[in-house]
Amino acid sequence: MVMTNKSRWSKAWIGVISFLLPLSSFLVTSCGNKPSEEEMAKAEQLIEAAHKAKDYQQLMRLADNLEAKGSLTPAKAYYWRGYASDRTNRRRMAEFYYNTALKAAADEDLDIYAKAASHLANLMALRGDYENGLKLTMPVVQKLEELKCDTTSDYVNLLIYIGCCQAGLGTSGQATADGFEKAYEKHLDNVKKNRTDEAYKSAFAGLINIAFACNFTGQYREALKWNGHLSEMLSEYEQRPGINPDYVDKQEARYTLYQAQAYEGLGKPEEAAKAFDTFLATDYAKTPEGRIAANDYLIVAKRWGEAADNYQSLTALLGDSEDSYSLDNIQSLVLKKYQANLLAGRRDSAVAISMQLCDSLAGAFKRAKEIDAAEQAVIVSKVEELGDQQVAATRRHQMEMLGLLGLLALIILGYLLYRRYHHHQLRKAHEELREDLGTIEAVATERSRNETEQRLAAAIQQRLSHAPLPQRNDVALYVSQTPGTMPGGSFYDTLLCDDTLLFCIGSAAAQGIAAATAAAMAWAQFRTAAAFGQTPEQIVNAISNAIADGQSIPVRLFVGQLDLTTGLLRYCNAGNNTPLLTDEEISLLPIDDTAPAGSQPGTVYTAQETTIAPGKLLFLYTDGIAEAKDADGKALGDKQFRGMALQAAKLNAKPQPFYDNILKAIDSFTGGTPQAEDLTLMVVARK
């Protein structure tokens, strides 16, 4: 029997329909297996129990497992992952999770939307990222107000973070004051309606943030005003039965400490000291945390000795392990400890702290990179997981559509062909998206690391190099240091002992944090060797050996020892730019060119001598000066710079005018163009 084409197609469609009928029945019954309200309620209870117990590892596991079962929405799962990461100091991961929760919750869960935004804004404010903090919070607050969801504590906290970010950027004004007032009124209303510990503590946290922001930005009268509101609410809270006395003591201690800071800022030292004495009477002031907090006032009041004593509690606060000395702790606490001891005149302690700082930096950088790598791996994994979820959601949608259209065989067949092509395009788009996300994450991570390196390098340079210059009638000494966009590579120091001036200037052959570490180590070695009365060549050799033991980055430096009575200059140069001798003419200081260009292991450096006559200037500078660029990218160069120095000397060869004129000439050449390298120079002259 011969079968026609028409009969073949009929039998084919019958086969398709006979296949699709049971398939559609299966799909219709299998689609929509969503968790019950009871299961979702139980999931919330498990999450809340882990939250109250502060079991953050369990909280992370629950978020993963409950989301996989479907009893926890992606928005909530990512919020709790962010919360757990935040509480365990994995801030990069916390920001990623909060951002993901914010996007997922924007249209489905406004409570999680507000919570994720509030925590994310807090992280940005803590690291000083005020501009991005405002970009995040302003649209969230506007959306919550439009949807009449402006009664929660998270909304109020967002108002406060907006004010803190504006204050941090120096743009605070009436809008900031209005935002703080609005937040305070919301807190008052919440306390009056609920009268719960949670309502009071949320209000205390808000008022403390406002008072701190006002003191931090120099708005001391506003700080006193908000501190007064904090005192009023504390007095009311103390009347409640069953309160925690330790909690109340800590808040009262904060209040008196902020009072002391504000009065000191307003030029009322007696009122400030009285408020600080009240703070010292609290139990919190006797704890390691309280003693460190007290230094916020003591440093402003320039009570350096007491601040240095308080920093002895730093070990008790951070612990003895190396892990406690993170980059953030070094920047916010250890550097301040060094500054307090230095300005208190405790030179031996300051030198010891600087050596400890150099030792702990290497470990801190290594741990930071390991943490960055671990967090980055998790973030990439979650980005891929999000992409897989998107593909899985697309496939579920396809199956649901097939089940609903199972009886319409002709339409389904055409639909399948279309969906096959569409799925191919989706898969291709997803792969491209994954590549783009990976690129974005890598760029963001590198940018964050560079910003952290720049901030730490600048902080280390500022704390370690800027010691007060010696003051004597028979010597003129001027120093200028302008940090570059990647600061930290250059350093200088001076030390006066009887009639002998010992000085150094130099730079590391690198940029950023590596340069800052090498410069800090060289500076500490100079200070230590100078304290023991060593000669320039001994100091250079000591620095060279220390650099060789600690890292492979060479340091170019010049060390000089000037007898102010006879004018005898003993000096040793290790690759630094050749200093200039000027009066009305200019000449190069004689330098032995056989030494390598920078401190090198195994090299023994020798000293040279010359005499500096009264009225003659010794002019020293680092390689950042010669490498300075104008707006067109053209470098200044040693030859043109020496011409500048000659012109400045001819205008006026006295130390102060010469120093001012050379700075003007450099500024005129660069025209305000940002420089990558530090610009450091020094003028020394016998009067």
Side-chain angles (χ1 to χ4, degrees):
M1 183 179 190
V2 179
M3 184 177 291
T4 64
N5 287 336
K6 183 176 181 181
S7 61
R8 285 197 192 97
W9 277 108
S10 298
K11 285 187 175 289
W13 284 121
I14 291 172
V16 170
I17 292 172
S18 63
F19 166 76
L20 289 174
L21 278 174
L23 176 62
S24 63
S25 176
F26 167 77
L27 290 174
V28 169
T29 56
S30 63
C31 289
N33 272 339
K34 296 181 180 178
S36 64
E37 291 184 3
E38 182 180 352
E39 289 175 325
M40 297 186 75
K42 185 177 180 181
E44 293 285 353
Q45 291 173 1
L46 291 171
I47 288 287
E48 188 59 28
H51 173 219
K52 287 184 177 179
K54 298 182 180 180
D55 189 349
Y56 302 121
Q57 289 185 352
Q58 174 67 358
L59 192 59
M60 186 73 79
R61 286 193 292 268
L62 284 172
D64 290 338
N65 295 335
L66 294 174
E67 184 193 20
K69 292 179 180 178
S71 52
L72 199 67
T73 64
K76 289 183 178 179
Y78 274 96
Y79 167 77
W80 287 114
R81 290 187 189 107
Y83 185 90
S85 300
D86 193 357
R87 290 301 180 271
T88 51
N89 292 321
R90 292 176 294 173
R91 291 180 177 172
R92 188 188 304 278
M93 288 175 62
E95 287 192 23
F96 170 78
Y97 288 138
Y98 284 144
N99 262 313
T100 309
L102 194 66
K103 295 172 184 176
D107 298 319
E108 64 182 50
D109 193 335
L110 288 177
D111 182 54
I112 291 295
Y113 178 69
K115 286 182 180 296
S118 177
H119 285 287
L120 191 54
N122 180 48
L123 289 177
M124 290 179 172
L126 284 175
R127 74 162 188 258
D129 191 1
Y130 303 120
E131 185 174 355
N132 286 324
L134 283 177
K135 290 180 181 178
L136 165 76
T137 51
M138 296 291 277
V140 174
V141 165
Q142 183 179 357
K143 181 172 182 176
L144 292 174
E145 289 174 346
E146 290 172 354
L147 297 174
K148 307 298 182 185
C149 297
D150 55 352
T151 58
T152 66
S153 60
D154 294 301
Y155 166 79
V156 178
N157 288 335
L158 285 169
L159 291 179
I160 293 173
Y161 289 136
I162 287 174
C164 292
C165 288
Q166 289 172 334
L169 289 171
T171 58
S172 57
Q174 190 59 44
T176 301
D178 291 344
F180 285 159
E181 287 287 352
K182 187 175 180 181
Y184 176 59
E185 291 299 328
K186 292 280 186 182
H187 274 309
L188 279 182
D189 186 58
N190 188 32
V191 167
K192 289 177 182 178
K193 287 180 179 178
N194 299 303
R195 299 290 179 184
T196 62
D197 265 26
E198 183 179 357
Y200 275 103
K201 289 179 179 180
S202 179
F204 292 151
L207 288 169
I208 285 169
N209 280 335
I210 294 174
F212 177 85
C214 291
N215 270 332
F216 182 77
T217 55
Q219 301 177 61
Y220 301 115
R221 296 191 184 280
E222 286 294 301
L224 289 175
K225 167 188 167 182
W226 292 109
N227 222 22
H229 288 320
L230 174 62
S231 177
E232 294 167 3
M233 193 167 289
L234 272 172
S235 298
E236 181 180 322
Y237 180 73
E238 286 181 276
Q239 309 307 314
R240 293 170 53 83
I243 61 171
N244 184 342
D246 292 336
Y247 175 82
V248 173
D249 178 83
K250 183 175 182 178
Q251 307 317 311
E252 289 179 342
R254 284 176 167 175
Y255 158 75
T256 53
L257 190 58
Y258 291 163
Q259 288 288 102
Q261 289 178 258
Y263 280 132
E264 188 69 28
L266 290 171
K268 298 181 179 181
E270 293 181 2
E271 289 91 335
K274 185 176 179 181
F276 185 68
D277 288 341
T278 305
F279 165 81
L280 292 177
T282 64
D283 292 334
Y284 175 73
K286 300 174 181 62
T287 65
E289 180 184 355
R291 285 192 287 270
I292 299 302
N295 284 352
D296 289 344
Y297 159 74
L298 292 173
I299 289 174
V300 173
K302 294 181 172 56
R303 293 163 63 168
W304 304 111
E306 293 170 73
D309 290 339
N310 281 349
Y311 275 126
Q312 293 178 10
S313 301
L314 200 56
T315 301
L317 183 65
L318 298 180
D320 293 322
S321 68
E322 290 187 359
D323 293 344
S324 61
Y325 286 87
S326 65
L327 293 179
D328 288 340
N329 287 337
I330 290 172
Q331 182 183 10
S332 61
L333 294 173
V334 182
L335 284 175
K336 289 183 178 179
K337 178 181 179 181
Y338 164 78
Q339 181 190 38
N341 279 272
L342 181 65
L343 295 177
R346 302 177 183 180
R347 190 178 70 176
D348 292 343
S349 296
V351 169
I353 295 166
S354 69
M355 297 299 290
Q356 178 192 15
L357 180 63
C358 292
D359 291 339
S360 60
L361 273 173
F365 294 144
K366 180 181 178 182
R367 287 190 298 276
K369 289 181 179 179
E370 290 173 351
I371 292 171
D372 279 351
E375 290 186 350
Q376 181 65 15
V378 173
I379 290 172
V380 170
S381 172
K382 288 299 178 183
V383 169
E384 292 178 348
E385 180 181 320
L386 282 172
D388 292 338
Q389 289 174 356
Q390 180 184 359
V391 173
T394 302
R395 287 174 176 169
R396 285 196 301 272
H397 178 65
Q398 292 172 348
M399 297 299 288
E400 290 171 359
M401 292 298 294
L402 283 172
L404 293 174
L405 300 176
L407 298 177
L408 304 175
L410 290 173
I411 300 175
I412 286 179
L413 186 59
Y415 179 75
L416 284 173
L417 292 173
Y418 166 74
R419 290 304 295 181
R420 184 175 180 181
Y421 169 77
H422 182 62
H423 175 70
H424 173 74
Q425 295 298 104
L426 255 175
R427 189 74 182 185
K428 182 179 178 181
H430 166 66
E431 294 299 332
E432 292 175 353
L433 175 61
R434 180 180 293 180
E435 291 178 4
D436 291 343
L437 284 172
T439 302
I440 291 170
E441 288 296 333
V443 170
T445 300
E446 184 64 25
R447 183 181 301 163
S448 176
R449 184 178 291 111
N450 287 341
E451 290 174 354
T452 301
E453 287 195 2
Q454 290 179 29
R455 186 172 68 253
L456 286 173
I460 292 170
Q461 184 184 65
Q462 182 180 10
R463 302 292 184 188
L464 298 184
S465 297
H466 295 177
L469 296 177
Q471 300 294 323
R472 274 181 57 138
N473 294 329
D474 57 351
V475 63
L477 185 60
Y478 300 95
V479 179
S480 172
Q481 186 175 56
T482 304
T485 55
M486 282 298 289
S490 70
F491 62 96
Y492 68 87
D493 205 355
T494 59
L495 185 66
L496 185 63
C497 184
D498 296 330
D499 292 327
T500 301
L501 176 66
L502 194 63
F503 55 93
C504 75
I505 189 170
S507 61
Q511 288 184 336
I513 205 67
T517 306
M521 188 175 293
W523 177 89
Q525 284 291 334
F526 172 82
R527 274 271 159 172
T528 303
F532 287 100
Q534 294 188 352
T535 61
E537 65 271 25
Q538 289 172 330
I539 294 174
V540 171
N541 287 319
I543 292 174
S544 178
N545 292 332
I547 296 296
D549 291 338
Q551 56 188 331
S552 60
I553 299 173
V555 172
R556 299 180 285 263
L557 74 155
F558 178 95
V559 178
Q561 185 180 44
L562 177 62
D563 188 321
L564 299 177
T565 303
T566 64
L568 178 65
L569 174 67
R570 186 177 181 88
Y571 58 93
C572 184
N573 191 64
N576 193 67
N577 295 75
T578 303
L580 306 178
L581 291 170
T582 69
D583 38 32
E584 293 184 356
E585 297 296 332
I586 188 169
S587 60
L588 296 174
L589 186 70
I591 295 294
D592 180 7
D593 292 331
T594 61
S599 56
Q600 299 289 342
T603 301
V604 178
Y605 293 88
T606 58
Q608 296 175 255
E609 292 183 355
T610 189
T611 300
I612 306 296
K616 194 146 191 165
L617 304 180
L618 178 63
F619 180 37
L620 309 99
Y621 60 97
T622 61
D623 55 354
I625 298 285
E627 294 172 8
K629 293 180 173 58
D630 61 13
D632 297 327
K634 180 182 177 182
L636 176 59
D638 279 310
K639 185 176 181 181
Q640 185 174 348
F641 181 60
R642 291 169 188 167
M644 282 184 180
L646 178 60
Q647 183 64 26
K650 288 185 178 295
L651 287 173
N652 195 325
K654 292 182 179 180
Q656 177 76 57
F658 173 82
Y659 173 76
D660 292 339
N661 288 332
I662 198 69
L663 288 182
K664 289 178 183 177
I666 295 171
D667 187 61
S668 176
F669 174 80
T670 61
T673 303
Q675 303 298 315
E677 302 284 344
D678 301 336
L679 307 181
T680 304
L681 57 85
M682 179 183 294
V683 174
V684 183
R686 294 174 61 215
K687 294 183 180 179

